[in-house]
Amino acid sequence: MSHPILQAEDVTKTFDGFRAINALNFYLFPGELRTVIGPNGAGKSTFFDLLTGRAKPDTGGIEYSPVPDTPATDLTKLNEYEIQRLGIGRKFQTPSVFAEHTVFTNLVLSLKGPRGVFASLFHRLDSAARDRLDALLKLVRLDDKRHWKAGLLSHGEKQWLEIGMLLASEPRVLLVDEPAAGMTDEETHRTGELLLSLAGKHSIVVVEHDMSFVKQISINGQVTVLHQGSVLCEGKFDDVQSHPKVREVYLGRGKN
Ligand code: ADP
Ligand code: MG
């Protein structure tokens, strides 16, 4: 088995004595598309906060190993910006695109490193960057709306643009929080296809509530169930769904 690209071991995070994350162990392998589910308050967003440096664990280790056979990087010592620079990108639940800028400019501004801001200031992009942006626009199905102001896009399209912006920064690891929230069924399905197409090239963790979407994107992958800040169970969608404990704490309560 390959080495995890991202691992969290025995991680605990408390807020005023309340254990939002409790002795959590999590291993993400290169190219994986992992789905994380769990009831509200299970600790999913806090987990992303810890992986991205937005919050620091009280105890435990979080390590990033993008290159096999080289020493892992201790993420608990780094800030949000440093972690992002290492290739761990996060998409928050609410899209935050620049509404007054076009779709294309939003992508330019997200290009890796200072190149994006520089290029957009001087209206210059080399042909490689242009090709990359064209490919990204097609990937997120916004090529025919490249000149639209982002504020005019539908909610689903804004989510796709933001995924495109995340990809423009060339992350190895993508952390995606509830991408299907507020989308139509059709948009949700397309989002699933998009995420499936990104697996392999990227290592991806998706937090999601919509069970038909979870089923779609976990077709080849694993589902992790978080409950009270720990992993309750992990496995194929069907196994997780029929697990008695999972039914008890989550699915059985009529959530989606
Ligand atoms: P999820 O994303 O799974 O719904 P969260 O990670 O947002 O859950 O929250 C887990 C628990 O930690 C909740 O009980 C929440 O109230 C608590 N929590 C999260 N962030 C904070 C914070 N900054 N201060 C206090 N409590 C928090
Ligand atoms: Mg959350």
Side-chain angles (χ1 to χ4, degrees):
M1 200 181 228
S2 58
H3 192 76
I5 183 164
L6 198 56
Q7 70 172 46
E9 284 195 314
D10 206 14
V11 170
T12 295
K13 174 70 181 176
T14 56
F15 295 109
D16 299 325
F18 172 77
R19 287 178 181 239
I21 295 292
N22 188 12
L24 179 73
N25 293 311
F26 181 89
Y27 305 90
L28 181 73
F29 292 91
E32 221 191 310
L33 170 50
R34 177 78 61 91
T35 315
V36 175
I37 63 172
N40 276 335
K44 305 179 297 295
S45 296
T46 304
F47 176 50
F48 275 7
D49 288 346
L50 293 169
L51 294 178
T52 54
R54 194 178 175 87
K56 294 290 167 201
D58 301 338
T59 57
I62 303 175
E63 290 189 342
Y64 177 52
S65 306
V67 184
D69 303 322
T70 55
T73 304
D74 178 358
L75 295 185
T76 67
K77 302 262 192 304
L78 304 181
N79 65 32
E80 257 183 297
Y81 176 70
E82 290 165 330
I83 291 175
Q84 196 197 336
R85 288 267 315 254
L86 286 177
I88 299 177
R90 175 184 196 174
K91 193 198 146 334
F92 287 91
Q93 189 176 333
T94 320
S96 56
V97 298
F98 303 104
E100 292 302 313
H101 284 303
T102 65
V103 166
F104 188 79
T105 303
N106 268 276
L107 287 176
V108 171
L109 288 169
S110 306
L111 286 171
K112 192 180 183 181
R115 204 175 50 168
V117 176
F118 191 78
S120 63
L121 280 176
F122 297 98
H123 304 287
R124 286 186 57 175
L125 279 177
D126 60 35
S127 65
R130 238 167 223 290
D131 289 350
R132 227 182 101 59
L133 292 178
D134 283 343
L136 268 181
L137 282 165
K138 286 205 180 69
L139 188 70
V140 298
R141 304 190 197 224
L142 290 173
D143 40 329
D144 57 343
K145 294 190 173 163
R146 62 168 66 209
H147 299 305
W148 280 42
K149 280 193 175 174
L152 298 176
L153 298 175
S154 75
H155 173 75
E157 288 168 337
K158 281 181 193 149
Q159 296 276 24
W160 293 337
L161 174 56
E162 215 183 349
I163 292 174
M165 289 161 70
L166 188 57
L167 292 171
S169 70
E170 299 176 30
R172 288 178 203 256
V173 175
L174 295 171
L175 307 174
V176 188
D177 206 347
E178 299 195 32
M183 283 190 177
T184 64
D185 288 352
E186 160 97 32
E187 287 174 336
T188 299
H189 190 76
R190 283 187 173 195
T191 304
E193 289 175 345
L194 173 60
L195 290 168
L196 284 165
S197 77
L198 297 173
K201 272 177 287 188
H202 303 270
S203 312
I204 311 172
V205 186
V206 181
V207 164
E208 190 47 64
H209 279 297
D210 178 333
M211 280 303 145
S212 59
F213 179 71
V214 171
K215 183 170 184 165
Q216 180 197 358
I217 63 174
S218 61
I219 178 122
N220 302 313
Q222 303 271 307
V223 178
T224 297
V225 184
L226 268 194
H227 178 53
Q228 297 178 347
S230 301
V231 173
L232 182 72
C233 105
E234 220 159 43
K236 295 261 168 223
F237 179 83
D238 288 339
D239 297 337
V240 162
Q241 199 185 27
S242 59
H243 195 293
K245 273 191 185 165
V246 175
R247 299 195 76 83
E248 194 184 312
V249 305
Y250 186 66
L251 301 163
R253 299 202 314 203
K255 273 186 180 296
N256 300 300

